[in-house]
Amino acid sequence: MTALTLSTAAAAGLRADAIVVGVAKGAQGPVVAPGAEAVDQAYDGRLAATLQTLGASGAEGEVTKLPAPSGFKAPVVVAVGLGAEPEKDQAFTAESLRRAAGCAARALTGSKKAVFALPVTGAADVGAIGEGALLGAYTFDAFKDNGKTAKNAKSPLAEVAVLGGKPRDKAYKAAVERAVTVAEELNRARDLINTPPNHLTPMAFAAIAQAAGKEHGLKVQVLDTKALEKGGYGGILGVGAGSASPACLVKLSYTHARAGKHLAFVGKGITYDSGGISLKPAGHNETMKCDMSGAAAVFAAVVAAARLGLEVDLTGWLALAENMPSGSATRPGDVLHMYSGKTVEVLNTDAEGRLVLADALWAASQENPDAIVDVATLTGAMMLALGNRIFGIMANDDAFRTAVHEAAGEAGEDAWPMPLPEHLRKGMDSPTADIANMGERMGGGLVAGLFLKEFVGEGIPWAHLDIAGPAFNEQAPFGYTPKGGTGSAVRTLVRLAELSASGDLG
């Protein structure tokens, strides 16, 4: 993991491979951002003009490298675009700093140390820069060259030193600690998402959760096949019935002596989704190792909260199964008896995520938490609606949906509130069971949300995050987001836990 430190030294005197500065997109061309004054002065005040000559504009994500000025111990200056120049008396947003730092960290792969001289107005900015750099420096090479970096590959940036902070100030120290913790746990989620499905079965995931629980003081309970059968968890068992790898339900509990609230997070954990008997066509199953991204997010968020010592009680539920076709697999037309006591007619075995979540949501409801939030790569329909970088938020309470949306924004994650139209519920009526797992095709993401709503305990605020779009990036890296697993929703969940701990969660 990349190291993160604060420094008060002058940029010119620091030994590093590069100095990172920010540049904004101004009305007349690139503008050197605050934090880089000393660097600009060393260029005789012509850094912006030099960058413009090199074709730089200050646009978000733009990276330009140039030789460092005479007298600098670092040989290279890396100018990273921050996007549009803020209005007068306005500062750069935390997310613009986070993305710029991530771009720079990616551009400096193979370097040992980089000094970040980006705009800093307070501890929050230091946290954003640190978080972005640590996330941008992420790589996954566990299955290359027997776990060692290949000869022609470059290691990630090893150390990030952020200028403009106050190393001895409590607020700055806390910002660094939070950035490191959140980034490490989010990168742990990315590792899980990127792990091949033959190496991450449901029980293998459960073992990882148990090890983390032991390390960070979490109580971990694993309900294996026998316990699920005894408890009547027909949804989880039904989805896992076709696989040689048994399903399980993992419960992670974090408690704090001064906690005033209890949140429950529920994650969909399909470690591989073939579609089951309703088999996915070629071209739609190659990345289905990522169908456990929701469970990875919940796991990472609970561990992060424990490491940060947040004054809130958290319970994480990981509904883990592998959806495979076989002679023992659930068939279209089968009826499952769910943990809640309801029956579900399975019309499509590729609509399996809602089945495992239904059991986990009802299990979470039995503890009567103050709120429940589930996270899932649930529907292609949500991707059609919102694209590949935005997740949808549905809820049984408009105020709570707004609170979750605001928390996502504060965390730097793009999300959008979605409705749960009651008229779509009728489409899931079944002549055989209490409800079917499919309804109208149009508005499929909303239909899935309505299905889940049926399994939330009465009176409990609940939100559903459909992260199908942003959970796995199949395109080129951008900002601090790598190709592959992204760790979507981890930061939103951590922010919700923080708001609950401070009593500010609406």
Side-chain angles (χ1 to χ4, degrees):
M1 181 72 183
T2 303
L4 176 62
T5 60
L6 296 181
S7 177
T8 57
L14 285 169
R15 294 189 181 277
D17 295 298
I19 306 291
V20 177
V21 299
V23 56
K25 189 173 185 178
Q28 304 300 320
V31 178
V32 177
E37 292 86 355
V39 178
D40 186 32
Q41 185 177 0
Y43 283 104
D44 296 324
R46 294 193 53 79
L47 178 55
T50 302
L51 289 170
Q52 188 168 26
T53 300
L54 294 172
S57 67
E60 181 182 311
E62 188 179 73
V63 175
T64 306
K65 295 182 180 180
L66 63 163
S70 176
F72 273 58
K73 291 184 178 180
V76 175
V77 168
V78 177
V80 60
L82 289 161
E85 184 181 17
E87 297 291 332
K88 188 177 181 180
D89 299 326
Q90 296 294 313
F92 290 94
T93 66
E95 182 61 7
S96 65
L97 297 174
R98 197 179 286 117
R99 292 178 180 177
C103 286
R106 286 193 294 104
L108 289 167
T109 297
S111 300
K112 292 183 178 180
K113 181 178 180 179
V115 175
F116 283 65
L118 295 174
V120 170
T121 60
D125 289 341
V126 165
I129 294 167
E131 187 178 290
L134 297 179
L135 294 178
Y138 172 82
T139 58
F140 182 75
D141 57 8
F143 293 88
K144 290 185 177 181
D145 194 28
N146 199 28
K148 299 178 182 178
T149 303
K151 291 181 180 178
N152 61 343
K154 294 181 179 179
S155 299
L157 175 61
E159 182 181 349
V160 170
V162 180
L163 300 184
K166 301 175 183 178
R168 297 183 180 181
D169 184 273
K170 287 184 179 180
Y172 284 84
K173 285 182 178 180
V176 170
E177 179 188 1
R178 184 188 186 281
V180 170
T181 299
V182 172
E184 285 183 350
E185 294 309 323
L186 193 150
N187 285 338
R188 188 208 295 260
R190 289 173 170 177
D191 284 348
L192 288 167
I193 297 164
N194 289 326
T195 299
N198 60 324
H199 289 267
L200 190 72
T201 62
M203 291 305 295
F205 196 150
I208 292 170
Q210 287 176 312
K214 186 175 182 180
E215 180 181 358
H216 298 293
L218 302 173
K219 182 179 179 182
V220 181
Q221 179 184 5
V222 179
L223 278 67
D224 59 13
T225 300
K226 186 175 181 180
L228 292 173
E229 289 174 345
K230 184 177 180 180
Y233 292 83
I236 298 174
L237 289 168
V239 172
S243 175
S245 299
C248 60
L249 177 63
V250 178
K251 177 185 177 183
L252 302 101
S253 301
Y254 163 69
T255 58
H256 194 285
R258 293 190 294 273
K261 297 289 184 180
H262 174 203
L263 294 182
F265 296 153
V266 178
K268 172 189 173 183
I270 305 300
T271 57
Y272 182 74
D273 181 20
S274 71
I277 297 297
S278 305
L279 194 66
K280 293 179 184 291
H284 291 76
N285 52 21
E286 291 81 359
T287 60
M288 282 299 102
K289 64 182 180 181
C290 78
D291 215 18
M292 38 59 67
S293 297
V298 167
F299 170 51
V302 174
V303 175
R307 290 179 58 182
L308 292 172
L310 300 183
E311 296 182 6
V312 61
D313 288 343
L314 283 181
T315 308
W317 299 84
L318 316 181
L320 305 175
E322 187 178 59
N323 187 23
M324 296 291 287
S326 73
S328 61
T330 295
R331 298 155 290 236
D334 283 356
V335 172
L336 303 178
H337 290 261
M338 309 296 284
Y339 181 55
S340 69
K342 290 184 179 181
T343 55
V344 176
E345 182 181 10
V346 179
L347 298 180
N348 186 331
T349 64
D350 196 23
E352 85 298 329
R354 64 199 70 183
L355 298 175
V356 300
L357 285 174
D359 276 353
L361 284 168
W362 190 253
S365 296
Q366 302 318 294
E367 297 187 343
N368 198 34
D370 292 289
I372 299 174
V373 179
D374 79 69
V375 187
T377 46
L378 205 61
T379 66
M382 196 56 61
M383 296 174 70
L384 290 173
L386 298 178
N388 294 323
R389 297 191 184 185
I390 302 172
F391 62 76
I393 306 173
M394 286 150 271
N396 60 0
D397 179 275
D398 288 348
F400 188 57
R401 182 184 63 186
T402 298
V404 174
H405 186 211
E406 290 176 349
E410 291 172 11
E413 298 203 85
D414 289 330
W416 197 254
M418 301 293 283
L420 287 177
E422 286 298 329
H423 70 271
L424 291 176
R425 170 60 182 85
K426 185 172 178 57
M428 290 184 283
D429 286 348
S430 165
T432 310
D434 295 321
I435 190 173
N437 77 327
M438 292 292 287
E440 293 184 29
R441 181 170 177 269
M442 299 301 176
L446 312 183
V447 170
L450 285 166
F451 179 90
L452 297 178
K453 182 182 175 183
E454 298 274 331
F455 297 89
V456 177
E458 188 174 353
I460 302 174
W462 156 80
H464 160 58
L465 313 185
D466 190 337
I467 62 170
F472 197 84
N473 177 31
E474 297 185 63
Q475 307 301 319
F478 60 93
Y480 49 80
T481 302
K483 187 170 184 177
T486 65
S488 177
V490 172
R491 289 177 294 148
T492 296
L493 295 181
V494 172
R495 186 61 187 142
L496 287 170
E498 290 174 327
L499 290 169
S500 184
S502 64
D504 295 322
L505 182 59

